Each structure stands twice: as structure tokens, then as C-alpha cells.
Amino acid sequence: MRSSYSSPTLVLNIERKYFADILAQPRRKKIEYRRMTAYWLRRLERVGPASFNLRLLNGMRPPVPEATIKIVKVVRSHASKELEFHLGRILDVRHWNRAKERPSR
């Protein structure tokens, strides 16, 4: 959890295509999905109910493109066995050029 945010923060890695879709102007992706497993349910339990921050990381080698987004609600879809993270306002973007939709160097 980052100390500069007042809300709890959940961190996850995401593929570049989906990362770009979330940060596109206008946004092409408004919901991030994760399988409803014991692992994700435990992590979700640690941050508590929405609203919390979601920190998305794209890659492992610095400088890693990253974005912090406010989660407005989480839906547990038992039919598809997925968690739906409904994305709200983008709070912070680092090492990513939103206009060109690629990492900034």
C-alpha cells in the first residue's frame, strides 16, 4: 500500500493491451476481470469494500508503466466465476504516454 493514498491499494499485473485500453482517451475498457479464486478473494478482503485504489503494473523491469485507479464497485459474478472491478477516476499514471498509448522512455 502506498502511503500517499488515503484508501487501501490493491496491486496487480496486467497485460499491455488491457493496460492501454484502460488508459486510452476515451477509455476503451471500464471493467477489469479476475477469476474468483480463493487467492483473489483473500486479497480483496484485505482492502475491504469499494472504494479502494487499484494499482496496475505492466511489466517487471524498471521503469514499469503503472497506473492507479479508483475502484467504484466490485461485482462477484457467480455465473461466470469472475470478479469485476469497475474502474473509476484515474488517479496517477507513470512511465506511460497516454497520447501515444505506449511506455514513455
Side-chain angles (χ1 to χ4, degrees):
M1 186 164 105
R2 299 182 108 178
S3 60
S4 60
Y5 300 118
S6 60
S7 297
T9 302
L10 179 65
V11 179
L12 58 95
N13 287 310
I14 187 168
E15 290 182 29
R16 174 140 318 154
K17 174 185 179 219
Y18 304 118
F19 188 81
D21 287 347
I22 289 169
L23 295 179
Q25 296 170 320
R27 191 180 290 178
R28 295 186 297 263
K29 185 170 175 32
K30 297 178 182 177
I31 301 173
E32 177 59 24
Y33 299 92
R34 288 292 183 258
R35 298 293 296 160
M36 195 178 340
T37 62
Y39 172 79
W40 283 108
L41 291 173
R42 272 192 315 272
R43 290 191 68 192
L44 187 58
E45 196 174 278
R46 283 187 214 142
V47 294
S51 93
F52 58 87
N53 295 330
L54 182 66
R55 186 170 165 229
L56 302 172
L57 303 174
N58 174 243
M60 301 295 280
R61 293 181 52 161
V64 175
E66 66 177 87
T68 304
I69 301 169
K70 184 62 90 178
I71 296 298
V72 292
K73 73 177 178 176
V74 178
V75 175
R76 295 175 187 211
S77 175
H78 294 284
S80 64
K81 296 183 175 147
E82 289 184 320
L83 294 168
E84 300 174 0
F85 295 95
H86 292 255
L87 308 173
R89 189 168 61 95
I90 296 171
L91 303 173
D92 187 32
V93 177
R94 295 178 188 209
H95 311 294
W96 185 260
N97 184 324
R98 292 182 74 187
K100 294 181 180 179
E101 295 188 13
R102 65 179 188 206
S104 58
R105 301 276 177 206

